[in-house]
Amino acid sequence: NLASSMVWIKVGAMVAYTGDIGFEREAAFERGVGEFLKKTFTGEGARLSKATGTGALYLADKGKRIAVLHLDDESLVVNGEDLLAFQDGIQSEVTMMRKVSAIASGGLFNVRLCGRGAVAITSHHRPLTFVVKPGRAVFTDPQATVAWSGSLTPEFKTDLQLKSFIGRGSGESFQMKFEGDGFVVVQPFEERTMQAQGS
């Protein structure tokens, strides 16, 4: 619900609205040169539009489930493909996954969000949320990982053996390891990005 306010939405996510709402695609350098260069390099994902005005705005993305999280001076990292919308009071920054394992697993970039306001994320089917505590690490498939609390920094764990290169691997060669204090959101689905499909 917009009340003379503005929200950032994923390009193409609007399916309907009532009231007086206008849409404007994000300008190339609107959030700084650094963000522009990052998005140019990734070539995908964090393409956003501004929805401004008063009324009810309805968003969707490929029929996926939508969850709304409320940040209160907190931070959240979201897979760029799974970010649907966020309020104007939240700052965003594209973060690159530079590890070869991340690229091979299809994940190139994420979006770090921080501040106050609502964030809408999407997932295929009902997501699972895992609590991460000191001494109790959580391991996830990068292609199934949707989001995690900003207090966590994932490490990449590889399990490459000779059989992985001759077609007999488990399919779980790359994993994300989360340690510390926070949470991780995972979907029961492996996201196949263009990078992964083209490899």
Side-chain angles (χ1 to χ4, degrees):
N1 291 310
L2 295 180
S4 298
S5 58
M6 189 269 279
V7 64
W8 290 100
I9 66 173
K10 186 175 185 176
V11 169
M14 187 278 289
V15 294
Y17 69 90
T18 61
D20 183 15
I21 299 176
F23 301 89
E24 180 183 352
R25 186 134 183 183
E26 178 185 19
F29 297 101
E30 185 157 349
R31 289 185 295 152
V33 175
E35 287 298 287
F36 172 76
L37 293 176
K38 288 177 186 176
K39 290 196 296 184
T40 299
F41 181 81
T42 62
E44 60 171 300
R47 294 189 299 259
L48 301 171
S49 289
K50 289 186 287 188
T52 308
T54 303
L57 175 62
Y58 298 85
L59 307 175
D61 184 21
K62 304 172 187 173
K64 295 195 287 186
R65 283 179 176 264
I66 300 172
V68 178
L69 306 177
H70 294 274
L71 301 184
D72 186 11
D73 288 327
E74 299 164 297
S75 61
L76 178 73
V77 181
V78 183
N79 182 315
E81 181 64 26
D82 300 318
L83 178 61
L84 183 65
F86 57 93
Q87 290 182 314
D88 190 35
I90 294 177
Q91 291 77 46
S92 67
E93 177 189 5
V94 176
T95 60
M96 307 272 301
M97 284 189 175
R98 300 184 184 279
K99 297 280 189 178
V100 173
S101 57
I103 296 172
S105 298
L108 261 183
F109 73 99
N110 299 300
V111 181
R112 173 177 284 275
L113 305 162
C114 60
R116 286 175 175 265
V119 177
I121 63 175
T122 61
S123 67
H124 290 275
H125 315 296
R126 186 185 299 276
L128 305 172
T129 300
F130 294 93
V131 176
V132 181
K133 291 291 185 184
R136 194 175 73 186
V138 173
F139 298 85
T140 67
D141 182 333
Q143 293 175 336
T145 306
V146 174
W148 58 90
S149 49
S151 58
L152 302 178
T153 301
E155 295 179 11
F156 284 90
K157 180 177 180 292
T158 59
D159 184 20
L160 291 178
Q161 301 174 15
L162 180 61
K163 63 184 179 181
S164 300
F165 292 100
I166 57 175
R168 298 185 59 196
S170 67
E172 313 302 332
S173 298
F174 300 104
Q175 300 152 21
M176 296 174 78
K177 178 182 180 181
F178 293 90
E179 290 184 295
D181 195 353
F183 65 88
V184 183
V185 179
V186 177
Q187 61 186 350
F189 181 91
E190 290 188 345
E191 199 83 57
R192 303 286 180 177
T193 66
M194 293 303 293
Q195 287 83 5
Q197 292 170 357
S199 60

